[in-house]
Amino acid sequence: MKRRRFLQHSLQAAVLTASPQLSLSLSRQPQYDYILTAEEQSLPVLPDTTSPLLTFNGQFPAPVIRTRQGERLRIHFINKLPQETTIHWHGIRLDNAMDGVPYLTQPPVKPGATFDYEFTCPDAGTFWYHPHMHSIEQLGRGMVGALIVEERNKPAFDADVIVGFKDWRLNSDGSFMPLSEPRHAARAGTLGNVATVNGLQLPEIAVPANATVRLRLLNMDNSRQFAISLGDTPASVIAIDAMPVPLQALDVHDLGVGMRLDLGLHTPTEAGVEIPIYDRKGRFLQKVCSLRTTAPLRSGSPPPIPTLPANPVSEPDLSQAETHRFVFEWAGAMTPVSKDGHAHHEFWTINRRAWAGMHSANLPEPLAQLSLGKSYIFELHNATPHGHPIHLHGLIFKVLSSDRKTITPFFTDTILLEKNERARIAFVADNPGSWMYHCHVIEHMKTGLMGYIRIS
Ligand code: C2O
Ligand code: CU
Ligand code: CU
């Protein structure tokens, strides 16, 4: 019975998301046209039971949205949840009106209402999408999905594999445990107790043997930080947060919440070989999933790992750049604050200000006002004993330096600041609008570590 319901739903979803859809009529229809429905759906996460998930199109993993660099993408979004929501397209440099932030860029999408997101993706790479409202619950219960923007000229990989991390907080009967506990929200975040990759516990993902494979790792969890390692298997980092980097051998890569990592590797020549993917904890390697080779693709040697073409991100002019400083601090207010009749915690601040939630239409002032087209340096200081993946919407910035490690400057949309770390980033303020600027540990953002900048 349960199985049939699940199949029915998957079939329906497959039809809804078959893409790119042939346009029904007019030539001005975007080529990549999707229907995305937010809805409650019970699905199995643990064996022999189901959990009351919040889903896109009744599925977990959520449908993978694929589009192409420079093409118009349209998502007709339908909210069938009993609560308001919005969808944000993480890492995409899009029009501000499409950024999916309630009150700041659009009104919330009410239960039963729809919203058409339509934009062009200037950059290729691995991105993701998620609501920007009731985030602890909506992301925590399953509303996270991959958004893949293919390069104009497809690089020569034999296989392209998504490895999406998302943990769950579940009781053994499949029901959810509280998704946030204040004592953890005030520290590293409340962790899940059921770890999944692509919705499965410790899955084995099939890859062809003797092939050149692209792995797209996405950290779509609310709180967990990974230290990605492939153990003894050689692999190259090819992109960080969708932005291509010169090929570099993977050792251990820290993958904070919201961050992505693209790897290229050559699979072994034989079928049936396991390639484990690990989260390194101190001296220990904890397996999170594996690849398993199927029949070899060829007898000769596989093609070299391609270098990805650079994305068209403007180079900041450091000699002219204006500097802004941001300090991320722990506020230490353990007593809930009452606002609009809601009691909530304010544990974290940016430049001494906490912003605890999107439930009010009264927006605070931006953390910075920037002039369109000018270059900026942001000096970031994490004055807390916890790591924070700091994310900026609508822009790609360059990481210049850190007082903790040697940085080869690279472009990204999220920087993972270690405890007490100071770092410098720079970018050209070339996208007008109000852009969220927050920690991606969802509880940190919901308890203060959030703000926005305005570019005009
Ligand atoms: Cu994944 Cu405000 O973003
Ligand atoms: Cu974002
Ligand atoms: Cu944080």
Side-chain angles (χ1 to χ4, degrees):
M1 181 61 197
K2 271 174 200 155
R3 191 173 142 75
R4 231 185 70 204
R5 257 165 70 82
F6 179 54
L7 281 178
Q8 270 174 4
H9 260 270
S10 309
L11 281 179
Q12 188 190 14
V15 171
L16 284 175
T17 59
S19 80
Q21 272 186 3
L22 287 178
S23 311
L24 296 170
S25 54
L26 306 167
S27 55
R28 41 190 288 280
Q29 288 273 54
Q31 196 189 346
Y32 294 88
D33 203 358
Y34 290 84
I35 296 169
L36 204 59
T37 304
E39 56 188 329
E40 297 178 297
Q41 178 63 34
S42 287
L43 293 176
V45 178
L46 297 171
D48 306 318
T49 180
T50 60
S51 298
L53 305 193
L54 303 182
T55 68
F56 290 111
N57 297 2
Q59 298 171 287
F60 195 90
V64 176
I65 296 183
R66 280 186 186 269
T67 181
R68 234 172 127 225
Q69 187 173 18
E71 301 287 336
R72 202 99 185 123
L73 168 65
R74 186 174 71 168
I75 295 112
H76 177 65
F77 175 65
I78 306 164
N79 182 14
K80 289 192 183 162
L81 298 177
Q83 57 184 213
E84 297 178 328
T85 189
T86 57
I87 310 302
H88 169 62
W89 317 94
H90 181 123
I92 305 289
R93 296 188 293 141
L94 39 54
D95 289 343
N96 196 230
M98 296 291 122
D99 199 41
V101 180
Y103 309 114
L104 193 67
T105 71
Q106 68 166 95
V109 186
K110 298 227 178 309
T114 67
F115 191 90
D116 284 311
Y117 291 97
E118 188 170 335
F119 51 90
T120 301
C121 302
D123 303 313
T126 305
F127 301 90
W128 66 299
Y129 65 97
H130 58 78
H132 225 284
M133 274 194 95
H134 307 294
S135 302
I136 293 175
E137 180 182 5
Q138 292 187 4
L139 277 72
R141 286 173 63 187
M143 293 172 72
V144 297
L147 167 57
I148 306 300
V149 183
E150 270 151 17
E151 290 77 13
R152 278 202 181 80
N153 303 307
K154 253 190 157 185
F157 286 102
D158 295 315
D160 188 316
V161 174
I162 289 175
V163 180
F165 299 113
K166 161 99 187 81
D167 295 351
W168 310 85
R169 287 182 50 78
L170 297 175
N171 299 306
S172 55
D173 66 357
S175 61
F176 277 96
M177 303 195 295
L179 296 172
S180 174
E181 289 178 0
R183 72 201 157 94
H184 293 300
R187 296 185 176 85
T190 308
L191 292 174
N193 64 330
V194 178
T196 65
V197 173
N198 300 344
L200 302 168
Q201 295 183 67
L202 275 178
E204 285 196 344
I205 303 169
V207 291
N210 201 18
T212 305
V213 172
R214 179 178 190 163
L215 295 184
R216 301 175 186 267
L217 281 63
L218 299 99
N219 184 351
M220 300 186 287
D221 194 52
N222 278 21
S223 328
R224 179 169 170 195
Q225 180 177 323
F226 294 79
I228 298 295
S229 162
L230 260 60
D232 297 330
T233 310
S236 300
V237 176
I238 58 174
I240 295 172
D241 290 339
M243 297 298 127
V245 292
L247 295 198
Q248 46 189 271
L250 170 71
D251 176 22
V252 177
H253 185 94
D254 290 324
L255 195 67
V257 177
M259 300 169 86
R260 292 87 64 213
L261 175 67
D262 282 50
L263 300 174
L265 75 152
H266 287 131
T267 54
T269 50
E270 313 270 291
V273 180
E274 183 190 10
I275 305 160
I277 298 178
Y278 300 105
D279 179 13
R280 196 179 73 172
K281 297 239 183 290
R283 290 187 298 121
F284 299 99
L285 294 175
Q286 184 190 355
K287 185 160 90 175
V288 290
C289 68
S290 324
L291 310 175
R292 173 81 66 181
T293 55
T294 55
L297 265 198
R298 54 174 68 75
S299 47
S301 40
I305 295 166
T307 305
L308 300 172
N311 281 323
V313 180
S314 301
E315 194 61 44
D317 178 355
L318 299 182
S319 67
Q320 301 291 320
E322 184 180 299
T323 299
H324 290 250
R325 291 181 182 81
F326 298 93
V327 185
F328 307 100
E329 281 179 292
W330 192 72
M334 295 302 288
T335 333
V337 193
S338 171
K339 230 186 231 174
D340 311 338
H342 300 260
H344 65 248
H345 291 277
E346 288 182 357
F347 294 133
W348 309 94
T349 61
I350 304 180
N351 289 352
R352 296 281 157 95
R353 265 168 49 187
W355 182 0
M358 305 293 283
H359 49 70
S360 158
N362 299 323
L363 292 169
E365 285 299 298
L367 287 165
Q369 298 255 19
L370 311 184
S371 307
L372 186 61
K374 279 185 63 174
S375 290
Y376 290 89
I377 294 173
F378 280 11
E379 285 185 4
L380 312 179
H381 178 202
N382 174 7
T384 82
H386 298 282
H388 299 286
I390 303 294
H391 170 52
L392 187 55
H393 287 207
L395 298 153
I396 299 294
F397 55 83
K398 191 173 198 175
V399 179
L400 301 175
S401 64
S402 155
D403 68 347
R404 287 306 171 104
K405 50 202 169 225
T406 320
I407 301 282
T408 308
F410 63 99
F411 286 107
T412 184
D413 57 50
T414 306
I415 177 176
L416 182 58
L417 292 180
E418 289 174 32
K419 60 178 178 189
N420 301 321
E421 182 175 0
R422 290 170 191 267
R424 285 162 70 244
I425 65 172
F427 60 92
V428 181
D430 55 5
N431 199 0
S434 295
W435 302 110
M436 294 303 292
Y437 177 38
H438 62 86
C439 176
H440 223 293
V441 171
I442 304 299
E443 292 165 288
H444 290 178
M445 109 184 209
K446 297 303 278 189
T447 55
L449 233 172
M450 172 157 77
Y452 70 99
I453 60 167
R454 184 176 292 144
I455 298 175
S456 57

